[in-house]
Amino acid sequence: MDNTNFPDKLRTGDKVAFGELVENHVNRVINICYRFLLDRQDAEDVSQEVFIEVYQSLKSFRGDSKISTWIYRIAVSKSLDEIKKRNRKKRILSIGKMLHLDDIADHIAGGPMPDAMIQEKEKMNEIMEALNTLPENQRIAFTLSRIDGYSNQEIAEIMNTTIAAVESLISRAKRKTSTELEQILKK
Amino acid sequence: MRESAVSEKVNQKLIEFENIGTIQPSAGWNESLMNRLASAGPGSGSNFPSIGVLIPLLFIVLINIGVILNSAIKYYQQPSVKDNELMLISDELLINPVSIIY
């Protein structure tokens, strides 16, 4: 496909151009979501939401960053929103259990999880719990840095900051995560 | 748990996190995306009206408020029919209008 008018084609809603955009970025987007959410099903759902938002927002994309950087920023943002949603559900469930209203709490929280999903999530429970204590910027920098193929330069572009800031965030995040994990594992 | 055992476990967890493999979208992912896009529609990317619409709208609202306030002030500044009649009577009878009204 001729790429000279690619951004214009995207802005005019060219479906073929959009399909190509999805194909070029789906693996990275889904793996960003997966690394944040540590759950395949959630990663697939959220990655679709990312591309829906990309499709709906293409007209307003100003081109002040690379289109890939813009897409990955949306992926990070959507993943963090999903984490906040999950944490709210957990709070509802724990309040429900305290009040012995397990069935109602389950219903409000979106239903009980299948066993296989629970097992997968439990494997990563401790690291998730530790990462949940990180300030947002540290979490983003640290999580992206653990994904293969992301240089500090690229992370800095996604976070709209400097490489030095990213390095500092990663270092602080690693220290804090280790400290939190120690506390969690000692329980 | 001993400190060294805890440290080892912490490192193990961090390495596990680092070594999480990559995933590929499942077989129906693309079709599912197309279905969701079809029901989501093109959208504008935002539910909030653009600034180009908001400013004229605000201007119109402010003008309307101004007109209403102006009318209200004029209405309350005008003497009522009763006041006018009392003024007429007081003029005819050469009586101070304040003593009539109160």
Side-chain angles (χ1 to χ4, degrees):
Chain A
M1 184 186 207
D2 174 17
N3 279 328
T4 50
N5 299 328
F6 193 61
D8 294 331
K9 283 183 178 162
L10 286 170
R11 280 195 199 97
T12 55
D14 185 315
K15 288 188 163 68
V16 173
F18 182 72
E20 197 178 305
L21 184 80
V22 172
E23 206 181 302
N24 289 342
H25 296 101
V26 63
N27 284 334
R28 278 201 139 189
V29 166
I30 204 169
N31 282 293
I32 287 174
C33 298
Y34 184 54
R35 196 58 71 117
F36 275 96
L37 301 170
L38 300 176
D39 180 275
R40 186 189 182 77
Q41 184 61 54
D42 287 351
E44 292 207 351
D45 284 344
V46 173
S47 59
Q48 287 181 346
E49 285 171 31
V50 170
F51 285 108
I52 290 169
E53 173 143 344
V54 165
Y55 184 70
Q56 291 177 334
S57 305
L58 274 166
K59 283 185 185 142
S60 58
F61 173 61
R62 292 186 301 272
D64 48 0
S65 64
K66 287 188 290 190
I67 201 161
S68 56
T69 305
W70 177 61
I71 293 171
Y72 303 150
R73 262 186 214 145
I74 295 173
V76 168
S77 169
K78 290 273 179 199
S79 302
L80 292 172
D81 287 345
E82 182 63 24
I83 288 169
K84 283 173 196 160
K85 224 190 280 179
R86 266 190 199 167
N87 291 340
R88 268 198 302 273
K89 281 184 189 175
K90 264 191 210 162
R91 281 196 294 273
I92 292 169
L93 280 172
S94 62
I95 291 168
K97 282 189 170 97
M98 259 170 30
L99 301 171
H100 305 289
L101 296 170
D102 300 42
D103 289 342
I104 297 171
D106 264 349
H107 177 73
I108 295 170
M113 272 190 288
D115 286 342
M117 227 183 249
I118 293 173
Q119 280 167 20
E120 197 184 320
K121 278 201 160 100
E122 273 175 2
K123 260 174 62 180
M124 288 287 155
N125 260 359
E126 287 115 350
I127 192 86
M128 243 334 197
E129 207 179 313
L131 291 172
N132 276 344
T133 65
L134 292 177
E136 202 164 271
N137 275 353
Q138 284 185 25
R139 186 175 192 158
I140 295 170
F142 183 68
T143 305
L144 290 176
S145 71
R146 304 295 110 173
I147 307 176
D148 267 341
Y150 280 88
S151 63
N152 287 351
Q153 163 76 36
E154 201 166 359
I155 297 170
E157 280 170 19
I158 291 170
M159 294 183 69
N160 201 22
T161 186
T162 61
I163 296 174
V166 167
E167 285 168 356
S168 167
L169 286 167
I170 292 170
S171 162
R172 282 185 278 151
K174 196 169 177 185
R175 272 200 307 275
K176 187 156 173 29
T177 307
S178 302
T179 309
E180 290 298 324
L181 271 173
E182 269 179 37
Q183 300 306 312
I184 292 163
L185 291 170
K186 277 177 184 170
K187 279 183 200 167
Chain B
M1 215 190 234
R2 284 198 338 241
E3 287 297 325
S4 55
V6 172
S7 293
E8 211 179 295
K9 198 101 171 99
V10 165
N11 285 336
Q12 188 193 329
K13 287 283 169 190
L14 288 171
I15 290 168
E16 262 175 35
F17 182 60
E18 189 142 354
N19 291 339
I20 290 171
T22 54
I23 61 170
Q24 303 286 324
S26 59
W29 185 91
N30 223 13
E31 192 183 333
S32 171
L33 173 64
M34 292 304 137
N35 290 339
R36 287 179 77 173
L37 275 168
S39 52
S44 64
S46 166
N47 289 330
F48 204 73
S50 69
I51 199 89
V53 170
L54 272 178
I55 290 174
L57 204 60
L58 198 61
F59 191 65
I60 290 167
V61 166
L62 285 171
I63 288 174
N64 276 337
I65 290 172
V67 164
I68 291 165
L69 275 173
N70 195 36
S71 303
I73 289 166
K74 275 188 184 158
Y75 176 78
Y76 285 109
Q77 275 175 351
Q78 277 170 6
S80 66
V81 170
K82 187 183 172 188
D83 285 346
N84 280 339
E85 284 172 358
L86 285 169
M87 290 291 283
L88 189 66
I89 292 166
S90 68
D91 282 343
E92 291 294 319
L93 297 175
L94 301 172
I95 297 167
N96 186 342
V98 174
S99 62
I100 298 170
I101 294 165
Y102 296 106

